[in-house]
Amino acid sequence: MSYVIKVGFVLFVLSFSCHIMAVTVDDVKLANELKTKYPKFDVALNSVNKKVEFLFDESQKQVCVLETSELEYIALNSNAQYNCITTYDSFCEIEKVKVYNEKKSGLQITPLYSSYHLNGIFYSDEKYCAVKLQFSQKGEKLRVVFQKKVFDLKYYFKTNFQNDLPCVKSDVKYIIPQWLSLNFIPFYLDTFNIKMTSSTDKNGSQVITFSGNDLANWPDNANSGGPSFYIPHVLIVPISSSKITKEPLITSTDGLFNWYNKLNKELEPDMGIINAQVNEIIKPCKSDDEKINAIFNWVHDNIRYLAYEQGILGFKSDEAHNVLTKKYGDCKGMANLLVVMLNSAGFDARMSWLGTNYLCYDYSIPSLCVDNHCITTLYYNGKIVFLDATEKYLPRENIAERIQGRQIMVKDGDNYKIEVIPVQLPNKNLCAQNASYQLEGTNLKGTVKYSFAGEARSSLFNHLASLKVDDHKNEFEDIFRNSDNNISISDLKHGELYKLETPFELSATTSVANKVTSFENELYITFDWQQLLKSSIIKNDRTTDLHLDMKSVDKKTVSFKIPVNYKVTHIPDSIAIDEPEYLILGKLKQTGNNIQYQFELTFKSTIITHDRFEQWNNTIKKLTEFYNDQIILVLK
Amino acid sequence: MYNAMNQKIITLFLFSVISISFIFADRENDEFKKQFWVTEAFKEVQIPEKFLSSSCVILNRSYDYAIRPMFSLGPNRVEVVTSFHMRIKLLDKAGVDEYTTFSIDGDMEKGVTNRKRGTDLVFAGFKIIKNDGIETEINLDEILVTDEAQKGKAKATLNKISIPNLVVGDVLDYYIVRRNRTMYQYVTFIGDANTVFLEGEYPIVEQSLTISSKRYCYLSCRSMNGAPDIKPLSKKQEGVYRLVDYNRDASKDEKWVNHYLESPFVRFQGIFSIKPYANYPTGFYRRFLTSTEDLRTAISMEELTRYAKDISTWKKQLISYPIPNIKLVKTATAKEKVDRILMECKRQSLSMFSENYFYSPDKRQSWNQDEMAVILSKVLIKHKIKSSLIFTTNRNFLKLDDLFMKEDIAVLVKIECDGQVFYISDLDALTNYAEIDPRYSGNKGYELDLYPKSKQNVLRSVTILQVKPEENKLISSLKVELGIDSLKSKIEYNKKMIGAGKLAEQYSLIGRNDFYKEFSTNFAKLISIESSSLKSSIKEKKTIQISDLEKGFSEDRSEFIKKNLKEEFNITNDLNFENFKINNSGIYPINAIFEYSLSFSTEQFIRKVGSNYILDAGKLLGTQVSFSDTEKNNRTHNIYFTYPRTFENIIEILIPNGYRVKGIEAFNVNQQTEVGRFTSTAKIDGNSVVISTIKTYNQTYSPKEQFNQYISFVDCAFNLSQKYLLFEKIK
C-alpha cells in the first residue's frame, strides 16, 4: 500500500473510531422503534426529568424558582446532530449547563449563548443557550442538564409538556414549600394522557408531578394559532405565600391589574410636547368626531410600530412624549400615546390590556401570560370605541379580527373593567370582483374591477406601503394576473391610495390567453382561473385546528358574451355549500347571449376545528370538480 | 446571480459588521465622526429629475479600504479598515421603513475585552438632515441596544439601532467602520478579494471608492464594465487611490442577466507580505507580489509564465499533499493510462477527504485547482502523457482581458490522447472528466506545455473547446396511461442528462453505494469499510453506521425526487413515486449519460367536462419559462446563460378504449430563431398520441436586441404547455 493510501486510510479510520461509544442492543432496538414511529427525526428524547423548586430570596424578598432539567437524548441514526436549546431572558439566568455520556462522564462542550430573533419583533431580550450534540452511533445517548433560575415567580407562569422532539417519558416535578400555595391550571393534559400526582416529601413540601409517556413532538402546522391552542401545558398561578414579599404575588385579576396600573402610573408624560402636537392636529377639526379621527389617523400615519421587549419594558409602556418624538413605539407605547393625546384633547380614553386571538386564555386567569397586546378604549357619546393604534389603515369603525370577541381589561382610575370587544360580520372585509369578457380570437378580453374593504383593504395597503413606490404598478397588475403570464393588463386605474373612507377600487382591461380551447367546432372555456381555495386539502397528519386570518367575503360576478355564431351545449352545475364556518356559492347561468358566473366565498368563522377537516376536504374536492368543469360552446 | 453579487458587497462593507462585535470606543469614534462629517463631509448635490420617482436616492456614498502592518502591536498583525459612508434621501414609506432600523449581530468573539489589541472593532454614526437643513446627530447612547448574552460565558452580541424621528423627505447620513486587526498565521496575509458594484437598489448621485496601503502591502484593483478608472489621489498621498462616479441609475433585476459581465464594478484586494516565500499555502501568490509601490491593474505574461512554471515544476513546499505513485502497464494505450491516472487521483482525493463527501455535502473537500494542477502535472510528466496547463477565467465572472489578480485565475489541465482532448478543472467524485466545466467552455486562455515541452516553452494563446447545445442535453420521456374512471394518470418517467447541468441532480441522487458500485465496476475497488482490515467488531459497527447513513441519504433522495416532480409538473397534491432506478450514473467517461427512471400517479392532469375528458397534455412538458408583458416590453440588459442547452420531451399518451382524441393539431408548432428554437410534433401512433418537443438555447450571450427572438420560441413553448387534448367518447 502506498504512503498516500496508508495516510488516507488512517485518517478515514480515525474519523470514525474516535466516537465509538458503548451502545447496547436495547438502545439500538429502542432507536429503531422510535425511527419507525418518527421517521423524520434523527434524535429523540428518551427522558425528560424536570425538577422545579420554589425558594425565597431573602435579599430580594422575592419568590424565585430553580428549574433543573435533565434531558436524555437518543440518536435514531448514525452521525446524528442536534442543537439542544433552552431559552432565558432578563428575568432569569442559566446557572449550569452540563453534558454527560452514557458512562456519566461530563463532556467538554461549550454552550453557545445568543440572542433569539423573533419574527416581527425589533428587539427582544429573549436569548438562548445552545449545546450542540454530536452522536456517532444509532442508539447512543447523551444527557444534558440545564439549571435555570427565575428571579421572580411572576415570570414563571407556564410549563409545556411537549418538545420539538418526540419524547419517550416525561416527568415534571414541582416541589412547593409549606409557606407557598400554588394553583396549576391544566390545558390538554387528558388529550395527551399526562397524569398529575401529589405527595409530600420529607421536608413537608408538597410535590406535584406531571408524568407523560410517548409524547409526540410539537406540531409544525402553519396557521394553527398560538401554541396555547394545542400544546399540553399547565399555568402556574400563586394562591398565597406566608413569606412577606417585596411586591404582592399576583394571585387574582385585581393583582394583575394592580401591577399593570403601578407600572402605568410611573409614567410622566411631558404634556407640553403632547399638547402642542395635539393642538396642531385638531386645529382644523370642527367636531369631536373629526378630532378623534384626526388624532387616531395621525398616530397611524406617523408612529411606526416597533416591537420592543426588554425586561420590565416588555410590560411597561415607553413615555408618550418619547414615542411621539421618536416616531416609533410598540403596542403599549402607541396605545399609551393615543390615550394621552385623546385625554389632552378632552376625551375619556383609557389604557387597556388584552390577549389577542393568538392566545386561548381570558382574564379569569391571573397571569402575565393571558395578555399580549395593548389598545386604547375610548368612552365617547355613551359608546365604547376600541382603538388599536397598531392596526394601520383600519378605520375606527373596523375592528381587527385578532381582537374581536376578546376580553379586554380597561383601566378605570385605580380600578378596571373587563369588557368584551364586539365581533363584526364577515362582510366588513369584502373583496369584490366584477368582470365582463368577450371572445377575441381564442383570447378572452374584458374589463375587470376589484373593490377592497376592511381588513382586505388594510392588508393590501400595508403591503403596498412596504413596497417601493415604483413597484406598485407591478403589484397592482399581479392582482389581476395572479402570477399567470397568460394574462395581459392594460388601462390600469386605481382609487386614492391609503384613503379609508371608501373601498379601494382597482380596474383594468385584461386579455386572457389559453383559457379557451378549440376542438374542431367546439369551444371549451375555463370560467374561473383564479380558483380560490383549489388545492387547499388539509393533510391527514395535521393535528391542530386551522386558524384563518379573518372572517371575509369574496364575491365575483363575471359575464361571458357568447359569440353570435355559437350556442351553449354545456354549462357547469352550480355549487352551494353552507357550513357553520363557511359558505360557498358558485353558479353559471345563460341569460340571452351572456353567461353569468357568480361566485361567493364567505368565511363565517376563523377556525376550522380538527373534527371538521373531513368535511372541509370534501368541500374542496367538490369545489375542485366545479372549477375543473368548463363551458362548452358549439358552432351553430 | 445578482443577489450573490450584492451579497459580496454587503459582506464587505455594510453587514460585515454583523459578524463581529460592535464596540464604541469613544475616542476613536470621535476621529471617525470628524473624518466623515467634517474633513471629508459630503458635498451638497442636486438630485436629477429622473431619480425623483424612486423610493430612495443615494445622494453620496463612499467606500474606503485601507491595509497596513501593525508592527507596534506585534510582529504578525495586519490592520484592515473598511468604511462605508452614505447619505440617502428617503422619498417614500418603504424607504423610511428600510432605514429606520439597523440590526447588527455579533458572534462568539473573545478578543473584544482588549480594546487596543482587539481583533475587531466597529464604529458608527448617524445623523438626520431635515428638509429645512437642520441636522440632528443621533445619540447612540440613547437608542442603541447592545445585548451580550450571558456574561462570562461564550457569547454573542446583538445590536439594534432604531433611528428616531425619521420621516419621508428626510436625509439620513451615516457611517459604519470596521477596524480589523488580524493575527496572520503565515508569512503572507491574503486579504479578501472584494467587489463593489456601482449600481444598486437605488439610484446614486455621487459615489467614491478609496483604497490605500502602507509598506509591505500590495494593492490590486481594476474597474470593470465601464466603471471609471481608479487613480492616485495625489503625489503627496502615496499609496492612496480613488475612483469617483456620478449619476448611476438603480439596477434592474431581470431574468437571464449576468451583472458581473454587464454592470460596472470595481474589484480589489490587499495583500501583506514582508517577503514573498514559496511556502504552502500562500506560495502560489509569490509571483504576483512584485511591487508594493504600484497599484496592480493587470497581470503580465511574465508573471503568469513564472506562476505557470511554479506549478509545472512543483516545489515541495508549495503544497502539503503527497504526489500519488501510480504504476501503469507499459502496454496500455494512452487513453487507458489517462483513465488510470485520473481515476487513481480521484480515488486518492476521496480517501483523503473521507466518506463525508457523500453524507455531509457541507463538509465536501477536494484539492483546489492549484493543488490539483501541481499533482497532475507531476504525474502526467512522469508518465509522458501529452498534456498542458491552461490558465483562464470563469466565463460567468470575468473576461480574460480583465484578469488582474491571482484570485481570479482558473487553472485547467489539458490532456490529449487517442484524438480526444480532456480539460480537467477538478477531480470531484462525480464530475466526468470527459466533459468540460461550462464555466470554461469556449473561453480564451493561455497554455503552457507539460509534456512534451516545446523548445521555447512559453505561454501561448488558446481557445478552450466550445460545447454545443446538443452536448448539454436533457431528455425527458413520459409514458402516460389515463385512468378515465379514477381521473388519475399513471406516468412512467425517464430522464437522461448529459453535459452541464446534470451534476446538481447527481449530487442529490447518487449515493455512496451507487458510486462505489459504479467505480468498482468500471475501475477498481475503493478503500471502504467493507474491504478494510479493521477489527471485525469495529468493522461491524462501522458497516451498520454506513448502512444508517445510506438509509438517511435514501430518504433525502426520496424527498428531493418528490419536490422535483412537483415543481416540474406543478403538482399541488401529495405525490408518491415508485420503481426509482439509476440506469446510468454518468460519472465514467465511457457513458456520460446520467439516466434514471421512476413511475408515479397523479390526479393533476385529467378532468371530466360534460361527458368528455380533458387532459392537460401541455403540462406534461414540465414547467416552461414565461415572461409577463412588462418583462417582455422593457428589456434593459443583455442576455446571458451559463451554457447552451437542449431540452427534449417525448410524451406518449395511451388513448383509452372507446375514446377518440381531439386537439392534436395544437401540438404541432415550430418556432426557429438564431438564438434558439422550439419545435413540437404530435401524431397518433397506433393507440397512442406521441408528442415530441425540442427546445434549444444556442447561445451563452445575446444582445438585448435579440430578446424578442427568445420571446418568440419561449412563448411558443409556454403556450403549448397550456394546451389540452380532448378525449371524446365514441358514440
Side-chain angles (χ1 to χ4, degrees):
Chain A
M1 201 186 289
S2 75
Y3 169 75
V4 173
I5 304 293
K6 281 176 193 163
V7 168
F9 184 72
V10 169
L11 285 173
F12 174 75
V13 170
L14 281 176
S15 71
F16 286 101
S17 57
C18 59
H19 286 298
I20 293 172
M21 302 297 302
V23 173
T24 66
V25 175
D26 285 346
D27 292 337
V28 175
K29 191 180 164 204
L30 174 62
N32 283 335
E33 285 168 7
L34 288 167
K35 185 70 183 172
T36 307
K37 192 164 184 182
Y38 303 105
K40 286 182 182 169
F41 290 89
D42 288 332
V43 177
L45 269 161
N46 189 39
S47 65
V48 171
N49 280 299
K50 196 177 273 190
K51 187 169 78 175
V52 183
E53 296 166 276
F54 298 89
L55 311 166
F56 191 70
D57 183 338
E58 290 288 354
S59 62
Q60 296 297 318
K61 298 285 176 206
Q62 283 185 152
V63 180
C64 60
V65 184
L66 190 65
E67 183 191 87
T68 309
S69 306
E70 286 192 19
L71 312 161
E72 187 174 76
Y73 294 89
I74 180 167
L76 311 188
N77 226 335
S78 300
N79 272 15
Q81 288 183 5
Y82 179 71
N83 274 320
C84 171
I85 284 174
T86 190
T87 57
Y88 64 103
D89 57 25
S90 314
F91 303 117
C92 63
E93 70 179 12
I94 307 281
E95 295 203 321
K96 181 174 146 189
V97 183
K98 289 274 183 195
V99 182
Y100 301 93
N101 62 19
E102 282 171 297
K103 291 174 183 166
K104 299 196 167 53
S105 314
L107 302 181
Q108 289 296 316
I109 296 178
T110 309
L112 166 70
Y113 294 86
S114 188
S115 297
Y116 219 48
H117 301 269
L118 298 169
N119 198 17
I121 295 180
F122 169 66
Y123 180 81
S124 164
D125 62 359
E126 193 167 352
K127 303 180 193 76
Y128 66 84
C129 168
V131 179
K132 188 173 183 180
L133 304 179
Q134 175 79 52
F135 302 84
S136 59
Q137 293 179 78
K138 181 191 281 184
E140 188 183 333
K141 290 175 185 164
L142 290 174
R143 196 160 51 89
V144 181
V145 177
F146 288 118
Q147 196 169 65
K148 185 165 34 176
K149 185 178 179 185
V150 182
F151 307 129
D152 186 346
L153 175 61
K154 185 160 60 224
Y155 303 111
Y156 192 85
F157 41 69
K158 186 161 124 181
T159 303
N160 287 332
F161 296 109
Q162 227 174 358
N163 299 282
D164 58 335
L165 296 179
C167 176
V168 177
K169 190 171 181 351
S170 173
D171 276 307
V172 181
K173 198 177 280 183
Y174 299 89
I175 299 164
I176 307 152
Q178 285 173 315
W179 51 265
L180 183 67
S181 177
L182 297 176
N183 183 20
F184 292 88
I185 304 170
F187 287 82
Y188 325 121
L189 299 195
D190 290 345
T191 315
F192 290 83
N193 204 20
I194 294 167
K195 306 284 184 205
M196 185 182 100
T197 55
S198 177
S199 62
T200 307
D201 72 4
K202 60 183 180 186
N203 300 321
S205 298
Q206 190 189 8
V207 180
I208 303 278
T209 307
F210 292 90
S211 304
N213 293 322
D214 197 15
L215 296 166
N217 57 297
W218 62 48
D220 182 24
N221 298 318
N223 305 107
S224 295
S228 66
F229 281 99
Y230 52 87
I231 286 190
H233 63 282
V234 288
L235 298 185
I236 302 140
V237 179
I239 298 170
S240 64
S241 163
S242 59
K243 301 269 187 190
I244 309 291
T245 51
K246 190 169 60 183
E247 280 183 345
L249 297 180
I250 295 176
T251 56
S252 64
T253 309
D254 290 358
L256 181 66
F257 171 76
N258 288 340
W259 188 64
Y260 286 155
N261 195 34
K262 176 180 162 283
L263 297 176
N264 192 252
K265 283 166 84 173
E266 288 169 7
L267 298 173
E268 292 178 350
D270 183 334
M271 290 313 292
I273 297 173
I274 302 288
N275 290 340
Q277 185 67 61
V278 169
N279 289 338
E280 193 185 320
I281 295 166
I282 62 174
K283 210 173 180 179
C285 300
K286 289 170 186 154
S287 66
D288 282 352
D289 224 39
E290 281 184 17
K291 286 177 188 172
I292 293 165
N293 278 345
I295 293 170
F296 186 45
N297 292 342
W298 187 90
V299 174
H300 269 173
D301 292 345
N302 292 280
I303 307 298
R304 185 168 186 265
Y305 173 74
L306 213 60
Y308 191 94
E309 293 173 2
Q310 188 190 27
I312 199 68
L313 297 179
F315 302 93
K316 183 181 176 184
S317 159
D318 195 0
E319 290 287 1
H321 55 271
N322 281 345
V323 177
L324 191 145
T325 50
K326 287 196 288 194
K327 299 264 191 317
Y328 59 76
D330 59 12
C331 65
K332 302 179 291 294
M334 292 173 81
N336 179 54
L337 172 66
L338 191 54
V339 168
V340 174
M341 288 175 82
L342 286 167
N343 291 162
S344 158
F347 298 102
D348 179 6
R350 305 176 191 182
M351 188 69 174
S352 309
W353 296 261
L354 75 155
T356 65
N357 63 2
Y358 187 75
L359 300 174
C360 74
Y361 316 117
D362 63 23
Y363 278 109
S364 63
I365 301 169
S367 172
L368 295 184
C369 69
V370 303
D371 45 33
N372 60 352
H373 193 37
C374 282
I375 67 168
T376 304
T377 304
L378 174 72
Y379 289 84
Y380 172 61
N381 274 353
K383 287 181 183 167
I384 306 178
V385 185
F386 298 100
L387 301 172
D388 189 341
T390 66
E391 290 287 348
K392 284 196 186 301
Y393 311 118
L394 204 58
R396 197 170 110 189
E397 60 275 15
N398 282 77
I399 297 172
E401 181 68 51
R402 66 185 181 135
I403 65 171
Q404 286 182 31
R406 306 297 298 175
Q407 281 188 350
I408 181 164
M409 179 188 268
V410 183
K411 183 173 155 61
D412 186 18
D414 280 341
N415 288 311
Y416 67 96
K417 290 179 186 172
I418 299 288
E419 306 275 5
V420 176
I421 300 174
V423 173
Q424 296 192 322
L425 292 171
N427 62 10
K428 280 270 182 186
N429 305 322
L430 173 68
C431 174
Q433 186 195 142
N434 278 284
S436 62
Y437 293 103
Q438 59 182 14
L439 209 59
E440 280 192 9
T442 53
N443 282 8
L444 290 167
K445 192 166 182 183
T447 54
V448 184
K449 190 173 162 187
Y450 279 97
S451 167
F452 300 87
E455 284 198 78
R457 178 183 56 197
S458 67
S459 300
L460 177 65
F461 282 177
N462 273 301
H463 178 58
L464 290 168
S466 72
L467 298 175
K468 296 179 204 166
V469 170
D470 31 1
D471 289 338
H472 283 186
K473 184 168 175 273
N474 276 348
E475 199 57 34
F476 288 140
E477 287 186 357
D478 210 48
I479 289 172
F480 295 92
R481 268 208 321 267
N482 201 21
S483 302
D484 183 348
N485 282 338
N486 285 304
I487 300 168
S488 298
I489 314 293
S490 58
D491 303 327
L492 181 72
K493 292 183 186 114
H494 63 82
E496 188 181 333
L497 267 180
Y498 312 123
K499 185 180 175 188
L500 305 183
E501 289 74 21
T502 53
F504 179 68
E505 291 189 344
L506 194 60
S507 67
T509 303
T510 63
S511 177
V512 186
N514 293 317
K515 306 301 178 197
V516 178
T517 310
S518 169
F519 297 112
E520 296 175 356
N521 59 347
E522 287 179 317
L523 293 177
Y524 280 64
I525 302 171
T526 304
F527 58 92
D528 190 334
W529 40 91
Q530 217 174 12
Q531 305 190 336
L532 288 170
L533 287 187
K534 193 189 175 185
S535 309
S536 300
I537 291 282
I538 298 173
K539 290 185 178 177
N540 290 336
D541 59 358
R542 183 178 178 112
T543 54
T544 56
D545 296 343
L546 176 67
H547 288 236
L548 305 167
D549 289 344
M550 59 185 169
K551 299 186 292 293
S552 61
V553 178
D554 274 277
K555 275 188 176 172
K556 196 182 288 191
T557 306
V558 184
S559 155
F560 296 95
K561 192 173 180 186
I562 304 163
V564 285
N565 45 347
Y566 280 85
K567 65 177 180 186
V568 179
T569 58
H570 175 75
I571 285 187
D573 292 338
S574 299
I575 185 171
I577 300 169
D578 191 358
E579 295 292 340
E581 304 90 345
Y582 49 85
L583 169 75
I584 295 172
L585 297 172
K587 190 173 157 190
L588 289 107
K589 187 180 165 193
Q590 184 177 355
T591 313
N593 63 345
N594 279 304
I595 295 171
Q596 291 288 335
Y597 168 48
Q598 287 186 313
F599 182 82
E600 180 182 334
L601 166 63
T602 299
F603 279 111
K604 297 183 258 186
S605 158
T606 57
I607 300 179
I608 314 289
T609 54
H610 188 263
D611 59 336
R612 300 278 295 156
F613 285 177
E614 194 179 337
Q615 175 64 41
W616 169 273
N617 284 344
N618 287 336
T619 298
I620 299 303
K621 279 178 194 159
K622 283 180 193 163
L623 187 61
T624 304
E625 280 170 27
F626 173 71
Y627 288 139
N628 279 347
D629 206 348
Q630 299 201 336
I631 301 165
I632 306 176
L633 307 181
V634 67
L635 205 57
K636 283 178 188 167
Chain B
M1 186 170 289
Y2 190 54
N3 285 341
M5 152 195 107
N6 271 339
Q7 196 80 33
K8 189 71 187 168
I9 314 171
I10 285 165
T11 302
L12 194 197
F13 287 106
L14 183 54
F15 298 120
S16 56
V17 286
I18 283 170
S19 63
I20 58 173
S21 54
F22 196 91
I23 291 177
F24 293 88
D26 290 343
R27 188 179 58 78
E28 288 177 273
N29 200 22
D30 283 346
E31 287 167 16
F32 285 118
K33 194 183 290 181
K34 192 177 166 194
Q35 176 189 337
F36 291 115
W37 288 345
V38 180
T39 52
E40 293 174 21
F42 287 135
K43 282 179 277 178
E44 289 267 335
V45 293
Q46 282 290 319
I47 303 177
E49 187 77 24
K50 64 176 179 174
F51 291 167
L52 285 171
S53 61
S54 177
S55 178
C56 299
V57 178
I58 296 169
L59 305 176
N60 320 78
R61 185 175 84 165
S62 73
Y63 294 115
D64 288 1
Y65 172 92
I67 182 169
R68 62 171 177 158
M70 290 295 287
F71 296 130
S72 59
L73 295 180
N76 54 350
R77 289 263 183 190
V78 175
E79 182 186 77
V80 176
V81 179
T82 53
S83 56
F84 174 76
H85 180 199
M86 185 159 94
R87 184 177 276 206
I88 185 163
K89 175 101 174 161
L90 310 171
L91 295 171
D92 68 11
K93 287 189 178 196
V96 172
D97 277 359
E98 186 169 346
Y99 286 92
T100 302
T101 54
F102 290 77
S103 295
I104 302 156
D105 264 350
D107 59 9
M108 297 172 66
E109 186 56 61
K110 287 179 181 170
V112 294
T113 49
N114 190 345
R115 291 188 178 192
K116 278 187 180 174
R117 297 168 70 97
T119 53
D120 294 317
L121 288 176
V122 179
F123 308 88
F126 297 82
K127 66 178 177 180
I128 298 172
I129 303 156
K130 295 284 178 190
N131 268 334
D132 56 11
I134 292 174
E135 294 190 6
T136 310
E137 185 186 336
I138 307 302
N139 184 349
L140 288 179
D141 291 340
E142 286 177 7
I143 53 145
L144 173 77
V145 194
T146 301
D147 179 12
E148 290 188 355
Q150 195 113 354
K151 280 180 185 171
K153 305 277 175 68
K155 63 180 186 293
T157 54
L158 172 73
N159 310 281
K160 296 266 184 173
I161 295 168
S162 44
I163 308 294
N165 196 20
L166 194 65
V167 298
V168 173
D170 286 352
V171 169
L172 180 68
D173 187 324
Y174 71 97
Y175 63 83
I176 297 172
V177 181
R178 172 189 169 187
R179 194 197 71 190
N180 181 262
R181 287 175 177 169
T182 305
M183 255 174 84
Y184 51 86
Q185 194 179 349
Y186 305 105
V187 289
T188 302
F189 166 78
I190 313 290
D192 290 338
N194 305 297
T195 302
V196 175
F197 278 84
L198 300 186
E199 291 174 350
E201 196 179 354
Y202 303 111
I204 304 166
V205 181
E206 182 186 77
Q207 63 184 324
S208 68
L209 168 74
T210 307
I211 57 174
S212 62
S213 67
K214 293 272 170 70
R215 62 200 177 122
Y216 302 118
C217 292
Y218 301 80
L219 272 180
S220 309
C221 181
R222 190 173 171 100
S223 302
M224 310 286 186
N225 304 327
D229 286 337
I230 193 155
K231 293 172 181 167
L233 194 60
S234 70
K235 282 183 183 173
K236 283 181 188 169
Q237 291 175 281
E238 277 184 19
V240 185
Y241 303 86
R242 180 169 291 170
L243 164 159
V244 185
D245 184 63
Y246 302 96
N247 293 334
R248 285 281 168 194
D249 286 317
S251 176
K252 201 175 156 191
D253 225 0
E254 294 179 313
K255 287 189 186 103
W256 302 342
V257 175
N258 185 335
H259 287 276
Y260 283 107
L261 299 180
E262 182 120 343
S263 303
F265 71 89
V266 183
R267 189 160 163 81
F268 62 91
Q269 183 181 35
I271 293 176
F272 163 81
S273 185
I274 295 174
K275 187 183 172 188
Y277 290 99
N279 284 3
Y280 178 86
T282 56
F284 289 111
Y285 284 81
R286 64 177 175 154
R287 301 301 182 191
F288 307 100
L289 304 179
T290 47
S291 166
T292 56
E293 281 158 28
D294 300 325
L295 181 72
R296 167 182 295 282
T297 57
I299 280 177
S300 70
M301 284 305 286
E302 189 191 347
E303 288 168 335
L304 198 58
T305 304
R306 292 170 72 193
Y307 163 64
K309 286 184 177 172
D310 274 354
I311 290 176
S312 65
T313 55
W314 179 56
K315 297 289 180 289
K316 198 174 180 181
Q317 64 271 39
L318 261 179
I319 64 162
S320 64
Y321 302 111
I323 304 296
N325 182 18
I326 302 168
K327 287 178 183 157
L328 299 176
V329 178
K330 283 183 183 170
T331 53
T333 64
K335 175 71 173 55
E336 285 167 343
K337 287 179 181 172
V338 167
D339 267 356
R340 183 159 168 76
I341 288 169
L342 293 175
M343 295 313 248
E344 194 63 61
C345 287
K346 191 179 268 202
R347 182 166 82 160
Q348 179 165 329
S349 168
L350 271 175
S351 302
M352 194 160 281
F353 298 111
S354 94
E355 303 203 359
N356 270 335
Y357 181 92
F358 289 102
Y359 303 120
S360 307
D362 53 327
K363 290 181 188 162
R364 267 179 199 145
Q365 277 181 294
S366 57
W367 296 320
N368 68 31
Q369 281 191 336
D370 283 329
E371 291 159 353
M372 179 206 71
V374 166
I375 291 166
L376 279 185
S377 299
K378 198 75 179 167
V379 177
L380 292 166
I381 291 168
K382 181 185 171 188
H383 293 290
K384 300 180 178 175
I385 306 288
K386 189 176 181 192
S387 53
S388 55
L389 292 172
I390 290 183
F391 299 88
T392 184
T393 54
N394 175 350
R395 189 170 50 74
N396 301 317
F397 178 61
L398 204 71
K399 293 167 196 142
L400 185 67
D401 292 344
D402 285 329
L403 188 61
F404 75 105
M405 64 164 85
K406 155 78 183 79
E407 226 73 23
D408 299 332
I409 302 173
V411 189
L412 276 59
V413 178
K414 180 181 166 188
I415 303 173
E416 292 177 68
C417 65
D418 297 346
Q420 274 187 285
V421 182
F422 304 125
Y423 294 90
I424 318 295
S425 52
D426 68 70
L427 285 172
D428 185 280
L430 298 181
T431 47
N432 188 320
Y433 64 77
E435 295 173 329
I436 304 173
D437 186 323
R439 290 174 295 178
Y440 311 116
S441 163
N443 271 17
K444 287 180 178 168
Y446 298 105
E447 187 172 13
L448 182 80
D449 293 334
L450 286 173
Y451 182 85
K453 279 193 171 67
S454 59
K455 278 182 186 171
Q456 296 85 4
N457 198 25
V458 290
L459 286 175
R460 59 183 179 275
S461 292
V462 68
T463 300
I464 299 170
L465 200 65
Q466 173 69 60
V467 171
K468 298 183 182 111
E470 54 272 25
E471 291 174 278
N472 297 320
K473 191 187 276 188
L474 188 157
I475 305 168
S476 163
S477 307
L478 283 83
K479 198 173 267 188
V480 185
E481 199 179 320
L482 304 176
I484 286 295
D485 297 328
S486 63
L487 291 180
K488 265 195 169 181
S489 315
K490 190 181 170 203
I491 298 172
E492 283 176 30
Y493 178 69
N494 177 285
K495 196 168 182 181
K496 294 190 186 87
M497 282 170 279
I498 188 164
K502 70 179 179 183
L503 201 57
E505 287 211 40
Q506 283 175 309
Y507 277 140
S508 300
L509 298 178
I510 296 175
R512 170 200 179 267
N513 289 350
D514 301 314
F515 176 78
Y516 271 47
K517 192 177 154 198
E518 176 78 6
F519 200 92
S520 302
T521 307
N522 285 295
F523 183 63
K525 281 220 176 300
L526 284 164
I527 298 168
S528 67
I529 289 298
E530 295 89 328
S531 60
S532 72
S533 56
L534 286 168
K535 268 188 183 173
S536 62
S537 58
I538 295 176
K539 193 191 271 190
E540 192 184 336
K541 278 178 181 167
K542 293 296 113 195
T543 306
I544 292 170
Q545 194 178 31
I546 286 179
S547 158
D548 288 342
L549 290 168
E550 190 64 15
K551 204 173 159 194
F553 171 81
S554 177
E555 284 162 9
D556 291 348
R557 172 164 69 186
S558 179
E559 288 306 310
F560 174 84
I561 292 169
K562 280 184 200 172
K563 183 171 166 277
N564 267 13
L565 287 173
K566 288 177 99 167
E567 276 176 18
E568 184 172 356
F569 298 110
N570 198 18
I571 294 171
T572 47
N573 298 337
D574 276 352
L575 179 77
N576 286 309
F577 66 91
E578 52 192 3
N579 306 325
F580 173 77
K581 190 184 169 201
I582 294 176
N583 304 318
N584 192 13
S585 70
I587 56 176
Y588 196 69
I590 288 170
N591 187 352
I593 295 174
F594 175 48
E595 180 186 354
Y596 64 88
S597 54
L598 54 88
S599 58
F600 65 97
S601 295
T602 176
E603 296 170 348
Q604 200 81 19
F605 301 121
I606 189 152
R607 53 207 159 106
K608 193 165 192 280
V609 177
S611 56
N612 301 328
Y613 292 87
I614 276 185
L615 176 74
D616 286 344
K619 297 266 190 312
L620 295 167
L621 256 70
T623 306
Q624 298 295 310
V625 66
S626 66
F627 290 85
S628 69
D629 286 351
T630 312
E631 289 170 313
K632 285 177 189 173
N633 300 328
N634 300 288
R635 184 76 192 182
T636 56
H637 291 101
N638 296 319
I639 299 128
Y640 296 86
F641 296 100
T642 45
Y643 46 89
R645 67 193 81 180
T646 299
F647 299 93
E648 282 187 26
N649 288 82
I650 303 155
I651 302 160
E652 187 183 338
I653 304 154
L654 289 172
I655 303 168
N657 286 336
Y659 286 84
R660 66 167 155 258
V661 65
K662 283 183 172 179
I664 290 178
E665 60 284 355
F667 287 84
N668 283 302
V669 294
N670 183 7
Q671 194 68 48
Q672 304 234 12
T673 71
E674 269 179 56
V675 297
R677 66 167 175 147
F678 178 75
T679 60
S680 172
T681 55
K683 62 180 180 183
I684 293 181
D685 185 3
N687 62 343
S688 297
V689 179
V690 180
I691 302 166
S692 305
T693 70
I694 298 178
K695 191 181 193 183
T696 303
Y697 295 86
N698 293 334
Q699 313 291 340
T700 54
Y701 163 80
S702 300
K704 64 185 175 193
E705 290 73 25
Q706 287 185 320
F707 188 59
N708 284 340
Q709 291 190 32
Y710 282 98
I711 292 299
S712 68
F713 80 88
V714 159
D715 262 4
C716 183
F718 173 71
N719 283 329
L720 195 88
S721 73
Q722 307 293 303
K723 302 290 182 206
Y724 311 121
L725 287 175
L726 181 73
F727 291 89
E728 191 179 63
K729 186 95 180 156
I730 301 169
K731 287 166 187 163

